[in-house]
Amino acid sequence: MALARLVLASGRPVDLAELRLSSTYGDLQDGYPCKPLNDLRIRDLLHTAERSRPGTPVHLVPPRREYPDQYAGGLGPVEVLPAVACLGTFHSAALDPARDPVAYRSRLTVVWFQSTPRLPSGCDAEPALRDLDWAVLARDAPAPP
């Protein structure tokens, strides 16, 4: 059963099958939000996504980066990502219309950031999620039993 259904800008419905939310800076003990730290966080999320669903393509929605007027330390200017890091796996009908629609689904794992811990659904989903180019990014695979 899907957690939520989104309709992409292309009109394709996609189902959110799994979602993991985490605080972007929940484990930040020393230092401050900056580009090197943010790039490491993003890289770690992408590796987690690849390991959690082997064989499923992974896509990063480039996050919005803000630069508040704060003192810059030794790692460069303060750079802040949205508060919630998201890792979601989406499913939809097979891309290849010749495939059995019961036996095959297209799927894609997406990493994105959002300002609140809300479930992306319908028109309330981040615009970048609704703009995913599913035909290019997703891959057909046998449907889970």
mmCIF file of all heavy atoms in Angstrom, residues 38-71:
data_model
loop_
_atom_site.group_PDB
_atom_site.id
_atom_site.type_symbol
_atom_site.label_atom_id
_atom_site.label_comp_id
_atom_site.label_asym_id
_atom_site.label_seq_id
_atom_site.Cartn_x
_atom_site.Cartn_y
_atom_site.Cartn_z
ATOM 1 N N ASN A 38 27.518 20.123 4.364
ATOM 2 C CA ASN A 38 26.310 19.835 3.592
ATOM 3 C C ASN A 38 26.588 18.846 2.467
ATOM 4 O O ASN A 38 25.798 17.932 2.225
ATOM 5 C CB ASN A 38 25.718 21.128 3.035
ATOM 6 C CG ASN A 38 25.145 22.004 4.127
ATOM 7 O OD1 ASN A 38 24.800 21.528 5.197
ATOM 8 N ND2 ASN A 38 25.063 23.288 3.857
ATOM 9 N N ASP A 39 27.709 19.027 1.766
ATOM 10 C CA ASP A 39 28.055 18.090 0.689
ATOM 11 C C ASP A 39 28.267 16.681 1.236
ATOM 12 O O ASP A 39 27.862 15.694 0.608
ATOM 13 C CB ASP A 39 29.302 18.571 -0.056
ATOM 14 C CG ASP A 39 29.048 19.822 -0.882
ATOM 15 O OD1 ASP A 39 27.857 20.194 -1.093
ATOM 16 O OD2 ASP A 39 30.035 20.448 -1.325
ATOM 17 N N LEU A 40 28.872 16.570 2.408
ATOM 18 C CA LEU A 40 29.061 15.262 3.046
ATOM 19 C C LEU A 40 27.717 14.645 3.416
ATOM 20 O O LEU A 40 27.483 13.455 3.189
ATOM 21 C CB LEU A 40 29.950 15.404 4.282
ATOM 22 C CG LEU A 40 30.241 14.124 5.053
ATOM 23 C CD1 LEU A 40 31.001 13.123 4.194
ATOM 24 C CD2 LEU A 40 31.038 14.447 6.313
ATOM 25 N N ARG A 41 26.813 15.438 3.968
ATOM 26 C CA ARG A 41 25.463 14.948 4.339
ATOM 27 C C ARG A 41 24.736 14.421 3.104
ATOM 28 O O ARG A 41 24.127 13.357 3.131
ATOM 29 C CB ARG A 41 24.672 16.086 5.001
ATOM 30 C CG ARG A 41 23.249 15.740 5.338
ATOM 31 C CD ARG A 41 23.171 14.826 6.542
ATOM 32 N NE ARG A 41 21.799 14.732 6.994
ATOM 33 C CZ ARG A 41 21.166 13.592 7.198
ATOM 34 N NH1 ARG A 41 21.793 12.440 7.042
ATOM 35 N NH2 ARG A 41 19.926 13.578 7.592
ATOM 36 N N ILE A 42 24.806 15.175 2.009
ATOM 37 C CA ILE A 42 24.141 14.763 0.772
ATOM 38 C C ILE A 42 24.757 13.471 0.247
ATOM 39 O O ILE A 42 24.051 12.531 -0.122
ATOM 40 C CB ILE A 42 24.208 15.884 -0.282
ATOM 41 C CG1 ILE A 42 23.322 17.054 0.160
ATOM 42 C CG2 ILE A 42 23.805 15.367 -1.656
ATOM 43 C CD1 ILE A 42 23.536 18.333 -0.629
ATOM 44 N N ARG A 43 26.076 13.392 0.239
ATOM 45 C CA ARG A 43 26.761 12.182 -0.238
ATOM 46 C C ARG A 43 26.376 10.971 0.607
ATOM 47 O O ARG A 43 26.101 9.887 0.084
ATOM 48 C CB ARG A 43 28.272 12.407 -0.227
ATOM 49 C CG ARG A 43 29.043 11.317 -0.927
ATOM 50 C CD ARG A 43 30.518 11.651 -1.152
ATOM 51 N NE ARG A 43 31.196 12.188 0.017
ATOM 52 C CZ ARG A 43 31.634 13.451 0.127
ATOM 53 N NH1 ARG A 43 31.442 14.312 -0.847
ATOM 54 N NH2 ARG A 43 32.263 13.847 1.227
ATOM 55 N N ASP A 44 26.301 11.149 1.941
ATOM 56 C CA ASP A 44 25.896 10.051 2.823
ATOM 57 C C ASP A 44 24.464 9.595 2.524
ATOM 58 O O ASP A 44 24.177 8.395 2.515
ATOM 59 C CB ASP A 44 26.008 10.453 4.288
ATOM 60 C CG ASP A 44 27.449 10.534 4.777
ATOM 61 O OD1 ASP A 44 28.363 10.050 4.070
ATOM 62 O OD2 ASP A 44 27.650 11.106 5.870
ATOM 63 N N LEU A 45 23.564 10.538 2.288
ATOM 64 C CA LEU A 45 22.181 10.173 1.960
ATOM 65 C C LEU A 45 22.106 9.409 0.642
ATOM 66 O O LEU A 45 21.347 8.443 0.512
ATOM 67 C CB LEU A 45 21.294 11.424 1.883
ATOM 68 C CG LEU A 45 20.890 12.034 3.215
ATOM 69 C CD1 LEU A 45 20.309 13.422 3.002
ATOM 70 C CD2 LEU A 45 19.892 11.135 3.920
ATOM 71 N N LEU A 46 22.884 9.832 -0.344
ATOM 72 C CA LEU A 46 22.892 9.127 -1.635
ATOM 73 C C LEU A 46 23.431 7.707 -1.477
ATOM 74 O O LEU A 46 22.878 6.765 -2.052
ATOM 75 C CB LEU A 46 23.693 9.911 -2.670
ATOM 76 C CG LEU A 46 23.065 11.226 -3.115
ATOM 77 C CD1 LEU A 46 24.043 12.039 -3.961
ATOM 78 C CD2 LEU A 46 21.769 10.977 -3.883
ATOM 79 N N HIS A 47 24.469 7.537 -0.674
ATOM 80 C CA HIS A 47 25.008 6.180 -0.432
ATOM 81 C C HIS A 47 23.985 5.322 0.297
ATOM 82 O O HIS A 47 23.821 4.138 -0.026
ATOM 83 C CB HIS A 47 26.315 6.253 0.366
ATOM 84 C CG HIS A 47 27.472 6.735 -0.438
ATOM 85 N ND1 HIS A 47 28.468 5.928 -0.893
ATOM 86 C CD2 HIS A 47 27.777 7.977 -0.878
ATOM 87 C CE1 HIS A 47 29.341 6.627 -1.581
ATOM 88 N NE2 HIS A 47 28.940 7.882 -1.590
ATOM 89 N N THR A 48 23.293 5.892 1.269
ATOM 90 C CA THR A 48 22.252 5.155 1.988
ATOM 91 C C THR A 48 21.155 4.722 1.020
ATOM 92 O O THR A 48 20.680 3.581 1.067
ATOM 93 C CB THR A 48 21.655 6.016 3.120
ATOM 94 O OG1 THR A 48 22.695 6.310 4.053
ATOM 95 C CG2 THR A 48 20.512 5.305 3.825
ATOM 96 N N ALA A 49 20.760 5.613 0.138
ATOM 97 C CA ALA A 49 19.717 5.302 -0.846
ATOM 98 C C ALA A 49 20.159 4.164 -1.770
ATOM 99 O O ALA A 49 19.385 3.250 -2.059
ATOM 100 C CB ALA A 49 19.365 6.546 -1.657
ATOM 101 N N GLU A 50 21.390 4.211 -2.227
ATOM 102 C CA GLU A 50 21.902 3.167 -3.124
ATOM 103 C C GLU A 50 21.955 1.808 -2.427
ATOM 104 O O GLU A 50 21.637 0.784 -3.034
ATOM 105 C CB GLU A 50 23.294 3.555 -3.638
ATOM 106 C CG GLU A 50 23.250 4.728 -4.596
ATOM 107 C CD GLU A 50 24.614 5.355 -4.837
ATOM 108 O OE1 GLU A 50 25.612 4.972 -4.163
ATOM 109 O OE2 GLU A 50 24.682 6.252 -5.691
ATOM 110 N N ARG A 51 22.350 1.800 -1.164
ATOM 111 C CA ARG A 51 22.437 0.538 -0.412
ATOM 112 C C ARG A 51 21.057 0.001 -0.031
ATOM 113 O O ARG A 51 20.861 -1.208 0.053
ATOM 114 C CB ARG A 51 23.281 0.724 0.846
ATOM 115 C CG ARG A 51 24.765 0.810 0.585
ATOM 116 C CD ARG A 51 25.585 0.760 1.871
ATOM 117 N NE ARG A 51 25.123 1.662 2.905
ATOM 118 C CZ ARG A 51 25.531 2.918 3.071
ATOM 119 N NH1 ARG A 51 26.408 3.440 2.251
ATOM 120 N NH2 ARG A 51 25.051 3.656 4.060
ATOM 121 N N SER A 52 20.105 0.883 0.213
ATOM 122 C CA SER A 52 18.794 0.420 0.682
ATOM 123 C C SER A 52 17.974 -0.231 -0.421
ATOM 124 O O SER A 52 17.140 -1.084 -0.143
ATOM 125 C CB SER A 52 18.014 1.573 1.313
ATOM 126 O OG SER A 52 17.618 2.504 0.335
ATOM 127 N N ARG A 53 18.164 0.168 -1.652
ATOM 128 C CA ARG A 53 17.409 -0.386 -2.788
ATOM 129 C C ARG A 53 18.358 -0.690 -3.945
ATOM 130 O O ARG A 53 18.342 -0.002 -4.964
ATOM 131 C CB ARG A 53 16.348 0.606 -3.258
ATOM 132 C CG ARG A 53 15.260 0.891 -2.269
ATOM 133 C CD ARG A 53 14.276 -0.216 -2.286
ATOM 134 N NE ARG A 53 13.171 0.106 -1.376
ATOM 135 C CZ ARG A 53 12.150 -0.661 -1.233
ATOM 136 N NH1 ARG A 53 12.059 -1.772 -1.928
ATOM 137 N NH2 ARG A 53 11.198 -0.349 -0.388
ATOM 138 N N PRO A 54 19.205 -1.723 -3.820
ATOM 139 C CA PRO A 54 20.128 -2.045 -4.912
ATOM 140 C C PRO A 54 19.366 -2.268 -6.223
ATOM 141 O O PRO A 54 18.309 -2.881 -6.234
ATOM 142 C CB PRO A 54 20.814 -3.331 -4.445
ATOM 143 C CG PRO A 54 20.595 -3.382 -2.972
ATOM 144 C CD PRO A 54 19.302 -2.668 -2.714
ATOM 145 N N GLY A 55 19.903 -1.731 -7.286
ATOM 146 C CA GLY A 55 19.278 -1.898 -8.589
ATOM 147 C C GLY A 55 18.241 -0.833 -8.916
ATOM 148 O O GLY A 55 17.799 -0.738 -10.054
ATOM 149 N N THR A 56 17.841 -0.044 -7.932
ATOM 150 C CA THR A 56 16.892 1.036 -8.181
ATOM 151 C C THR A 56 17.690 2.317 -8.393
ATOM 152 O O THR A 56 18.568 2.639 -7.596
ATOM 153 C CB THR A 56 15.943 1.216 -6.977
ATOM 154 O OG1 THR A 56 15.199 0.011 -6.808
ATOM 155 C CG2 THR A 56 14.977 2.361 -7.197
ATOM 156 N N PRO A 57 17.401 3.047 -9.468
ATOM 157 C CA PRO A 57 18.141 4.292 -9.674
ATOM 158 C C PRO A 57 17.859 5.294 -8.557
ATOM 159 O O PRO A 57 16.775 5.282 -7.960
ATOM 160 C CB PRO A 57 17.621 4.804 -11.021
ATOM 161 C CG PRO A 57 16.381 4.055 -11.303
ATOM 162 C CD PRO A 57 16.404 2.797 -10.488
ATOM 163 N N VAL A 58 18.845 6.135 -8.290
ATOM 164 C CA VAL A 58 18.746 7.145 -7.237
ATOM 165 C C VAL A 58 18.904 8.521 -7.878
ATOM 166 O O VAL A 58 19.778 8.725 -8.715
ATOM 167 C CB VAL A 58 19.833 6.930 -6.157
ATOM 168 C CG1 VAL A 58 19.817 8.054 -5.132
ATOM 169 C CG2 VAL A 58 19.641 5.584 -5.483
ATOM 170 N N HIS A 59 18.054 9.442 -7.451
ATOM 171 C CA HIS A 59 18.106 10.810 -7.980
ATOM 172 C C HIS A 59 18.117 11.796 -6.815
ATOM 173 O O HIS A 59 17.354 11.648 -5.863
ATOM 174 C CB HIS A 59 16.891 11.078 -8.878
ATOM 175 C CG HIS A 59 16.808 12.484 -9.353
ATOM 176 N ND1 HIS A 59 17.698 13.019 -10.260
ATOM 177 C CD2 HIS A 59 15.950 13.493 -9.029
ATOM 178 C CE1 HIS A 59 17.378 14.275 -10.490
ATOM 179 N NE2 HIS A 59 16.329 14.593 -9.751
ATOM 180 N N LEU A 60 18.977 12.808 -6.909
ATOM 181 C CA LEU A 60 19.022 13.887 -5.932
ATOM 182 C C LEU A 60 18.309 15.101 -6.504
ATOM 183 O O LEU A 60 18.651 15.567 -7.599
ATOM 184 C CB LEU A 60 20.468 14.266 -5.604
ATOM 185 C CG LEU A 60 20.649 15.546 -4.775
ATOM 186 C CD1 LEU A 60 20.115 15.354 -3.354
ATOM 187 C CD2 LEU A 60 22.107 15.975 -4.762
ATOM 188 N N VAL A 61 17.318 15.599 -5.777
ATOM 189 C CA VAL A 61 16.721 16.883 -6.109
ATOM 190 C C VAL A 61 17.648 17.918 -5.474
ATOM 191 O O VAL A 61 17.770 17.940 -4.242
ATOM 192 C CB VAL A 61 15.290 17.006 -5.555
ATOM 193 C CG1 VAL A 61 14.757 18.406 -5.760
ATOM 194 C CG2 VAL A 61 14.373 15.967 -6.201
ATOM 195 N N PRO A 62 18.336 18.727 -6.274
ATOM 196 C CA PRO A 62 19.284 19.677 -5.689
ATOM 197 C C PRO A 62 18.604 20.561 -4.640
ATOM 198 O O PRO A 62 17.564 21.164 -4.908
ATOM 199 C CB PRO A 62 19.754 20.517 -6.884
ATOM 200 C CG PRO A 62 19.517 19.641 -8.070
ATOM 201 C CD PRO A 62 18.281 18.845 -7.736
ATOM 202 N N PRO A 63 19.177 20.601 -3.435
ATOM 203 C CA PRO A 63 18.523 21.351 -2.356
ATOM 204 C C PRO A 63 18.737 22.859 -2.478
ATOM 205 O O PRO A 63 19.727 23.319 -3.062
ATOM 206 C CB PRO A 63 19.208 20.817 -1.102
ATOM 207 C CG PRO A 63 20.555 20.387 -1.559
ATOM 208 C CD PRO A 63 20.363 19.891 -2.973
ATOM 209 N N ARG A 64 17.806 23.576 -1.905
ATOM 210 C CA ARG A 64 17.945 25.023 -1.785
ATOM 211 C C ARG A 64 19.002 25.273 -0.705
ATOM 212 O O ARG A 64 18.979 24.666 0.359
ATOM 213 C CB ARG A 64 16.597 25.624 -1.370
ATOM 214 C CG ARG A 64 16.576 27.136 -1.253
ATOM 215 C CD ARG A 64 15.227 27.650 -0.768
ATOM 216 N NE ARG A 64 15.059 27.384 0.670
ATOM 217 C CZ ARG A 64 14.253 26.455 1.190
ATOM 218 N NH1 ARG A 64 13.506 25.695 0.410
ATOM 219 N NH2 ARG A 64 14.170 26.279 2.488
ATOM 220 N N ARG A 65 19.937 26.148 -0.984
ATOM 221 C CA ARG A 65 20.996 26.488 -0.031
ATOM 222 C C ARG A 65 20.856 27.969 0.315
ATOM 223 O O ARG A 65 20.782 28.807 -0.578
ATOM 224 C CB ARG A 65 22.375 26.201 -0.620
ATOM 225 C CG ARG A 65 22.585 24.711 -0.904
ATOM 226 C CD ARG A 65 23.889 24.465 -1.652
ATOM 227 N NE ARG A 65 24.014 23.087 -2.070
ATOM 228 C CZ ARG A 65 24.925 22.241 -1.594
ATOM 229 N NH1 ARG A 65 25.785 22.625 -0.676
ATOM 230 N NH2 ARG A 65 24.981 21.000 -2.030
ATOM 231 N N GLU A 66 20.813 28.254 1.609
ATOM 232 C CA GLU A 66 20.685 29.640 2.059
ATOM 233 C C GLU A 66 21.969 30.066 2.748
ATOM 234 O O GLU A 66 22.649 29.240 3.376
ATOM 235 C CB GLU A 66 19.495 29.787 3.003
ATOM 236 C CG GLU A 66 18.176 29.527 2.302
ATOM 237 C CD GLU A 66 16.977 29.689 3.223
ATOM 238 O OE1 GLU A 66 17.161 29.963 4.429
ATOM 239 O OE2 GLU A 66 15.856 29.523 2.727
ATOM 240 N N TYR A 67 22.280 31.333 2.637
ATOM 241 C CA TYR A 67 23.504 31.884 3.194
ATOM 242 C C TYR A 67 23.164 33.034 4.135
ATOM 243 O O TYR A 67 23.186 34.199 3.741
ATOM 244 C CB TYR A 67 24.431 32.340 2.066
ATOM 245 C CG TYR A 67 24.781 31.201 1.138
ATOM 246 C CD1 TYR A 67 24.007 30.919 0.012
ATOM 247 C CD2 TYR A 67 25.856 30.373 1.419
ATOM 248 C CE1 TYR A 67 24.310 29.857 -0.813
ATOM 249 C CE2 TYR A 67 26.167 29.301 0.589
ATOM 250 C CZ TYR A 67 25.386 29.053 -0.519
ATOM 251 O OH TYR A 67 25.686 27.989 -1.327
ATOM 252 N N PRO A 68 22.825 32.693 5.391
ATOM 253 C CA PRO A 68 22.493 33.754 6.346
ATOM 254 C C PRO A 68 23.724 34.620 6.646
ATOM 255 O O PRO A 68 24.863 34.161 6.522
ATOM 256 C CB PRO A 68 22.021 33.001 7.584
ATOM 257 C CG PRO A 68 22.603 31.643 7.460
ATOM 258 C CD PRO A 68 22.769 31.367 5.996
ATOM 259 N N ASP A 69 23.470 35.837 7.027
ATOM 260 C CA ASP A 69 24.547 36.767 7.344
ATOM 261 C C ASP A 69 25.061 36.456 8.750
ATOM 262 O O ASP A 69 24.650 37.068 9.734
ATOM 263 C CB ASP A 69 24.021 38.204 7.255
ATOM 264 C CG ASP A 69 25.134 39.222 7.376
ATOM 265 O OD1 ASP A 69 26.301 38.850 7.160
ATOM 266 O OD2 ASP A 69 24.835 40.384 7.692
ATOM 267 N N GLN A 70 25.937 35.449 8.817
ATOM 268 C CA GLN A 70 26.516 35.019 10.086
ATOM 269 C C GLN A 70 28.020 34.910 9.919
ATOM 270 O O GLN A 70 28.535 34.775 8.801
ATOM 271 C CB GLN A 70 25.941 33.676 10.521
ATOM 272 C CG GLN A 70 24.473 33.713 10.835
ATOM 273 C CD GLN A 70 23.937 32.326 11.231
ATOM 274 O OE1 GLN A 70 24.622 31.333 11.136
ATOM 275 N NE2 GLN A 70 22.692 32.289 11.661
ATOM 276 N N TYR A 71 28.720 34.914 11.026
ATOM 277 C CA TYR A 71 30.171 34.812 11.016
ATOM 278 C C TYR A 71 30.613 33.523 10.330
ATOM 279 O O TYR A 71 30.122 32.438 10.647
ATOM 280 C CB TYR A 71 30.712 34.859 12.441
ATOM 281 C CG TYR A 71 32.197 34.608 12.520
ATOM 282 C CD1 TYR A 71 33.102 35.594 12.144
ATOM 283 C CD2 TYR A 71 32.688 33.373 12.912
ATOM 284 C CE1 TYR A 71 34.459 35.357 12.179
ATOM 285 C CE2 TYR A 71 34.051 33.124 12.963
ATOM 286 C CZ TYR A 71 34.930 34.128 12.591
ATOM 287 O OH TYR A 71 36.271 33.886 12.622
#
